[in-house]
Amino acid sequence: MHHVVLSLWALLVVLPLLWTVYTSFKTSREILTDPFGLPETPQLTNYTRAWQEAKIGEYFFNTLVVVGSALVIVMLLGAMCAYVLARFRFPGNRIIYFGMVAGLTFPIFLAVVPLFFVLKNMGLLDGRMGLVGVILAYVAFALPFTVFFLHSFFAGLPDEISEAAAIDGAGDFRTFFQVMLPMAKPGLASVAIFNFLGLWNQYLLPLVLNTDRRNYVLAQGLVNLQAQQGYKVDWGGMFASVVITVIPVLVVYVIFQRQLQGGVGPSTIK
Protein backbone atom coordinates (compact mmCIF):
# COMPACT_ATOMS: atom_id res chain seq x y z
CA MET A 1 0.00 0.00 0.00
CA HIS A 2 2.81 2.39 0.84
CA HIS A 3 4.28 1.87 -2.65
CA VAL A 4 0.99 3.01 -4.17
CA VAL A 5 0.90 6.12 -1.97
CA LEU A 6 4.53 6.99 -2.77
CA SER A 7 3.91 6.43 -6.49
CA LEU A 8 0.91 8.75 -6.44
CA TRP A 9 2.88 11.37 -4.55
CA ALA A 10 5.76 11.08 -7.06
CA LEU A 11 3.32 11.59 -9.94
CA LEU A 12 1.84 14.65 -8.25
CA VAL A 13 5.32 16.15 -8.04
CA VAL A 14 6.86 15.02 -11.35
CA LEU A 15 3.95 15.55 -13.76
CA PRO A 16 3.49 19.30 -13.07
CA LEU A 17 7.26 19.75 -13.40
CA LEU A 18 7.34 17.94 -16.75
CA TRP A 19 4.32 19.94 -17.94
CA THR A 20 6.08 23.19 -17.03
CA VAL A 21 9.24 22.15 -18.88
CA TYR A 22 7.64 21.23 -22.20
CA THR A 23 5.21 24.14 -21.98
CA SER A 24 8.20 26.48 -21.83
CA PHE A 25 8.96 25.48 -25.45
CA LYS A 26 5.49 26.41 -26.74
CA THR A 27 4.15 29.64 -28.15
CA SER A 28 1.57 31.66 -26.22
CA ARG A 29 -1.07 30.63 -28.77
CA GLU A 30 -0.33 26.93 -28.26
CA ILE A 31 -0.41 27.33 -24.47
CA LEU A 32 -3.85 28.97 -24.57
CA THR A 33 -5.44 26.73 -27.24
CA ASP A 34 -3.88 23.37 -26.29
CA PRO A 35 -2.39 23.64 -22.78
CA PHE A 36 -1.62 19.92 -22.41
CA GLY A 37 -0.40 19.24 -25.94
CA LEU A 38 3.22 18.97 -27.00
CA PRO A 39 4.80 21.92 -28.82
CA GLU A 40 4.60 21.79 -32.60
CA THR A 41 8.04 23.39 -32.91
CA PRO A 42 10.23 23.91 -29.81
CA GLN A 43 10.57 27.63 -29.17
CA LEU A 44 14.08 28.12 -27.84
CA THR A 45 13.58 31.86 -28.24
CA ASN A 46 11.38 31.74 -25.12
CA TYR A 47 14.52 31.28 -23.04
CA THR A 48 16.35 34.02 -24.92
CA ARG A 49 13.54 36.50 -24.26
CA ALA A 50 13.29 35.43 -20.63
CA TRP A 51 17.04 35.74 -20.05
CA GLN A 52 17.61 39.04 -21.84
CA GLU A 53 14.40 41.01 -22.34
CA ALA A 54 12.78 39.98 -19.04
CA LYS A 55 16.15 40.40 -17.26
CA ILE A 56 15.92 36.94 -15.70
CA GLY A 57 19.68 36.62 -16.22
CA GLU A 58 20.28 39.67 -14.03
CA TYR A 59 17.86 38.44 -11.38
CA PHE A 60 19.46 34.99 -11.54
CA PHE A 61 22.93 36.44 -10.90
CA ASN A 62 21.67 38.51 -7.96
CA THR A 63 19.99 35.44 -6.49
CA LEU A 64 23.15 33.36 -6.82
CA VAL A 65 25.18 36.04 -5.06
CA VAL A 66 22.68 36.53 -2.23
CA VAL A 67 21.76 32.89 -1.63
CA GLY A 68 25.29 31.55 -2.17
CA SER A 69 26.87 34.05 0.21
CA ALA A 70 24.17 33.62 2.84
CA LEU A 71 24.36 29.82 2.62
CA VAL A 72 28.13 29.72 3.10
CA ILE A 73 27.97 32.11 6.06
CA VAL A 74 25.03 30.43 7.77
CA MET A 75 26.48 26.93 7.35
CA LEU A 76 29.82 27.99 8.81
CA LEU A 77 28.39 29.99 11.71
CA GLY A 78 25.59 27.49 12.34
CA ALA A 79 27.93 24.51 12.44
CA MET A 80 30.38 26.27 14.78
CA CYS A 81 27.59 27.46 17.09
CA ALA A 82 25.91 24.06 17.18
CA TYR A 83 29.24 22.35 17.91
CA VAL A 84 30.05 24.64 20.83
CA LEU A 85 26.56 24.35 22.32
CA ALA A 86 26.56 20.56 21.95
CA ARG A 87 30.09 19.71 23.08
CA PHE A 88 31.02 22.36 25.65
CA ARG A 89 29.44 23.04 29.03
CA PHE A 90 29.47 26.63 30.27
CA PRO A 91 27.06 28.95 32.13
CA GLY A 92 24.21 30.01 29.86
CA ASN A 93 24.67 27.13 27.42
CA ARG A 94 21.06 25.97 27.55
CA ILE A 95 19.74 29.53 27.60
CA ILE A 96 21.53 30.31 24.34
CA TYR A 97 20.37 27.05 22.76
CA PHE A 98 16.73 27.50 23.70
CA GLY A 99 16.99 31.12 22.59
CA MET A 100 18.01 29.82 19.17
CA VAL A 101 15.14 27.35 19.17
CA ALA A 102 12.74 30.13 20.16
CA GLY A 103 13.83 31.98 17.04
CA LEU A 104 12.13 29.27 14.97
CA THR A 105 8.76 30.17 16.47
CA PHE A 106 9.04 33.91 15.79
CA PRO A 107 6.90 34.91 12.76
CA ILE A 108 9.14 36.50 10.18
CA PHE A 109 6.56 39.09 9.11
CA LEU A 110 6.74 40.62 12.61
CA ALA A 111 10.47 41.26 12.19
CA VAL A 112 10.59 42.80 8.72
CA VAL A 113 9.59 46.35 9.77
CA PRO A 114 12.16 46.78 12.60
CA LEU A 115 14.70 44.94 10.43
CA PHE A 116 14.06 47.45 7.65
CA PHE A 117 14.89 50.40 9.90
CA VAL A 118 17.94 48.66 11.38
CA LEU A 119 19.40 48.03 7.92
CA LYS A 120 18.46 51.55 6.82
CA ASN A 121 20.35 53.08 9.74
CA MET A 122 23.34 50.91 8.82
CA GLY A 123 23.22 52.10 5.21
CA LEU A 124 22.50 48.60 3.87
CA LEU A 125 19.41 49.36 1.81
CA ASP A 126 20.65 51.73 -0.89
CA GLY A 127 22.50 50.78 -4.06
CA ARG A 128 24.51 47.60 -4.27
CA MET A 129 24.93 47.61 -0.49
CA GLY A 130 21.29 46.53 -0.43
CA LEU A 131 22.46 43.05 -1.41
CA VAL A 132 24.62 42.95 1.73
CA GLY A 133 21.58 43.82 3.84
CA VAL A 134 19.55 41.04 2.22
CA ILE A 135 22.41 38.56 2.80
CA LEU A 136 22.55 39.45 6.50
CA ALA A 137 18.78 39.10 6.79
CA TYR A 138 18.93 35.68 5.12
CA VAL A 139 21.67 34.56 7.54
CA ALA A 140 19.63 35.68 10.54
CA PHE A 141 16.56 33.94 9.12
CA ALA A 142 18.29 30.57 8.57
CA LEU A 143 20.67 30.46 11.56
CA PRO A 144 18.24 29.19 14.26
CA PHE A 145 17.12 26.24 12.13
CA THR A 146 20.72 25.38 11.24
CA VAL A 147 21.83 25.36 14.88
CA PHE A 148 18.79 23.35 15.96
CA PHE A 149 19.29 20.77 13.21
CA LEU A 150 23.05 20.27 13.67
CA HIS A 151 23.03 20.33 17.47
CA SER A 152 21.90 16.70 17.72
CA PHE A 153 24.56 15.55 15.23
CA PHE A 154 27.45 16.96 17.21
CA ALA A 155 25.90 15.89 20.53
CA GLY A 156 25.68 12.30 19.24
CA LEU A 157 29.38 12.01 18.42
CA PRO A 158 31.35 9.91 20.96
CA ASP A 159 33.57 11.79 23.40
CA GLU A 160 36.37 9.32 22.69
CA ILE A 161 36.89 10.85 19.26
CA SER A 162 37.53 14.37 20.52
CA GLU A 163 39.64 12.97 23.36
CA ALA A 164 41.77 11.04 20.86
CA ALA A 165 42.22 14.19 18.79
CA ALA A 166 43.28 16.11 21.92
CA ILE A 167 45.83 13.39 22.80
CA ASP A 168 47.27 13.73 19.27
CA GLY A 169 47.79 17.43 19.92
CA ALA A 170 44.84 18.85 17.99
CA GLY A 171 43.38 22.09 19.28
CA ASP A 172 39.71 22.98 19.38
CA PHE A 173 39.65 24.51 15.88
CA ARG A 174 41.55 21.64 14.30
CA THR A 175 39.37 19.08 16.07
CA PHE A 176 36.25 20.82 14.77
CA PHE A 177 37.30 21.34 11.15
CA GLN A 178 39.30 18.14 10.57
CA VAL A 179 37.57 15.60 12.83
CA MET A 180 34.06 16.55 13.90
CA LEU A 181 32.85 18.47 10.85
CA PRO A 182 33.53 15.65 8.35
CA MET A 183 31.58 13.25 10.58
CA ALA A 184 28.51 15.48 10.32
CA LYS A 185 28.46 15.47 6.50
CA PRO A 186 24.99 13.86 6.24
CA GLY A 187 23.53 16.50 8.53
CA LEU A 188 25.38 19.30 6.75
CA ALA A 189 24.08 18.11 3.39
CA SER A 190 20.51 17.87 4.66
CA VAL A 191 20.43 21.27 6.33
CA ALA A 192 22.21 22.85 3.33
CA ILE A 193 19.44 21.65 1.03
CA PHE A 194 16.70 22.83 3.40
CA ASN A 195 18.37 26.23 3.75
CA PHE A 196 18.95 26.54 0.03
CA LEU A 197 15.30 25.82 -0.75
CA GLY A 198 14.08 28.23 1.91
CA LEU A 199 16.40 31.04 0.83
CA TRP A 200 16.03 30.49 -2.92
CA ASN A 201 12.22 30.70 -2.67
CA GLN A 202 12.21 33.54 -0.13
CA TYR A 203 9.95 36.41 -1.16
CA LEU A 204 8.87 38.38 1.92
CA LEU A 205 12.36 39.48 3.01
CA PRO A 206 13.53 40.74 -0.39
CA LEU A 207 10.12 42.33 -1.01
CA VAL A 208 10.56 44.56 2.05
CA LEU A 209 14.34 44.96 2.20
CA ASN A 210 15.36 44.80 -1.46
CA THR A 211 13.74 47.88 -3.00
CA ASP A 212 16.34 48.69 -5.67
CA ARG A 213 15.35 47.14 -9.03
CA ARG A 214 19.00 46.47 -9.84
CA ASN A 215 19.15 44.12 -6.84
CA TYR A 216 15.97 42.15 -7.52
CA VAL A 217 16.16 38.40 -6.95
CA LEU A 218 14.27 35.81 -9.00
CA ALA A 219 11.14 35.75 -6.84
CA GLN A 220 10.79 39.53 -7.18
CA GLY A 221 11.68 39.42 -10.86
CA LEU A 222 8.97 36.90 -11.71
CA VAL A 223 6.28 38.90 -9.92
CA ASN A 224 7.51 42.14 -11.47
CA LEU A 225 7.55 40.52 -14.93
CA GLN A 226 3.96 39.37 -14.61
CA ALA A 227 2.83 42.78 -13.34
CA GLN A 228 4.56 44.66 -16.17
CA GLN A 229 3.08 42.53 -18.96
CA GLY A 230 -0.51 43.16 -17.89
CA TYR A 231 -2.94 41.63 -20.39
CA LYS A 232 -0.24 40.96 -23.01
CA VAL A 233 1.40 38.11 -21.16
CA ASP A 234 4.26 36.28 -22.84
CA TRP A 235 3.29 32.86 -21.54
CA GLY A 236 6.19 31.09 -23.25
CA GLY A 237 8.67 33.49 -21.68
CA MET A 238 6.97 33.18 -18.30
CA PHE A 239 7.21 29.36 -18.29
CA ALA A 240 10.84 29.58 -19.46
CA SER A 241 11.55 31.93 -16.53
CA VAL A 242 10.00 29.44 -14.12
CA VAL A 243 12.14 26.60 -15.51
CA ILE A 244 15.29 28.74 -15.13
CA THR A 245 14.29 29.34 -11.51
CA VAL A 246 13.73 25.63 -10.81
CA ILE A 247 16.90 24.27 -12.45
CA PRO A 248 19.34 25.29 -9.64
CA VAL A 249 17.16 23.52 -7.06
CA LEU A 250 17.34 20.27 -9.05
CA VAL A 251 21.10 20.65 -9.53
CA VAL A 252 21.66 21.12 -5.79
CA TYR A 253 19.60 18.01 -5.01
CA VAL A 254 21.55 15.90 -7.53
CA ILE A 255 24.84 17.05 -6.00
CA PHE A 256 23.81 16.26 -2.41
CA GLN A 257 21.56 13.24 -2.95
CA ARG A 258 24.28 10.70 -2.14
CA GLN A 259 24.93 12.34 1.22
CA LEU A 260 21.20 12.28 1.92
CA GLN A 261 20.94 8.63 0.94
CA GLY A 262 23.80 7.87 3.31
CA GLY A 263 21.51 8.65 6.22
CA VAL A 264 20.86 11.59 8.48
CA GLY A 265 22.82 10.33 11.49
CA PRO A 266 26.38 11.34 12.35
CA SER A 267 29.14 9.17 10.94
CA THR A 268 31.39 7.62 13.56
CA ILE A 269 33.37 5.12 11.52
CA LYS A 270 36.75 4.70 13.12
Side-chain angles (χ1 to χ4, degrees), residues 14 21 37 57 63 70 101 103 110 120 138 171 175 192 205 228 230 234 244 266:
V14 173
V21 171
T63 308
V101 175
L110 294 179
K120 182 179 180 180
Y138 277 15
T175 300
L205 285 177
Q228 285 183 339
D234 180 8
I244 293 174

Side-chain angles (χ1 to χ4, degrees), residues 10-253:
L11 290 175
L12 290 174
V13 174
V14 173
L15 291 180
L17 180 60
L18 292 177
W19 178 76
T20 302
V21 171
Y22 75 73
T23 302
S24 68
F25 293 99
K26 298 166 68 173
T27 64
S28 296
R29 180 185 60 82
E30 291 174 331
I31 294 174
L32 295 175
T33 57
D34 188 13
F36 297 104
L38 294 175
E40 296 178 2
T41 302
Q43 302 293 319
L44 297 178
T45 55
N46 289 343
Y47 286 88
T48 303
R49 292 197 310 275
W51 189 263
Q52 297 178 351
E53 297 178 13
K55 298 184 179 180
I56 294 299
E58 182 179 339
Y59 303 148
F60 188 89
F61 176 76
N62 290 339
T63 308
L64 282 181
V65 171
V66 172
V67 175
S69 302
L71 191 61
V72 171
I73 296 173
V74 77
M75 291 301 299
L76 178 61
L77 295 181
M80 295 176 70
C81 183
Y83 174 74
V84 171
L85 293 176
R87 308 291 300 185
F88 294 88
R89 295 293 176 262
F90 54 88
N93 179 297
R94 303 306 292 172
I95 295 176
I96 297 175
Y97 173 70
F98 286 118
M100 288 284 185
V101 175
L104 295 172
T105 66
F106 192 79
I108 189 172
F109 62 85
L110 294 179
V112 290
V113 174
L115 185 59
F116 175 87
F117 288 105
V118 169
L119 294 179
K120 182 179 180 180
N121 293 333
M122 296 174 63
L124 298 179
L125 289 180
D126 302 323
R128 285 299 181 180
M129 290 301 296
L131 289 178
V132 178
V134 177
I135 291 172
L136 294 178
Y138 277 15
V139 171
F141 169 74
L143 189 60
F145 172 74
T146 305
V147 174
F148 172 74
F149 194 97
L150 294 178
H151 183 274
S152 59
F153 282 85
F154 291 117
L157 294 175
D159 294 333
E160 291 81 1
I161 297 177
S162 58
E163 292 173 358
I167 293 175
D168 290 338
D172 291 333
F173 279 94
R174 187 176 179 184
T175 300
F176 171 71
F177 285 106
Q178 295 186 4
V179 179
M180 295 300 189
L181 200 60
M183 292 183 176
K185 278 186 178 180
L188 293 172
S190 300
V191 76
I193 290 179
F194 292 144
N195 281 333
F196 178 82
L197 292 176
L199 298 179
W200 188 268
N201 297 321
Q202 181 61 240
Y203 178 67
L204 180 60
L205 285 177
L207 175 66
V208 177
L209 306 177
N210 197 20
T211 56
D212 192 330
R213 289 183 179 271
R214 296 175 300 171
N215 299 336
Y216 273 11
V217 295
L218 280 171
Q220 291 175 284
L222 290 176
V223 175
N224 183 61
L225 175 62
Q226 185 179 15
Q228 285 183 339
Q229 291 182 345
Y231 292 103
K232 297 180 180 180
V233 180
D234 180 8
W235 291 108
M238 284 291 296
F239 276 97
S241 302
V242 172
V243 173
I244 293 174
T245 304
V246 171
I247 285 176
V249 178
L250 298 179
V251 172
V252 168
Y253 175 76

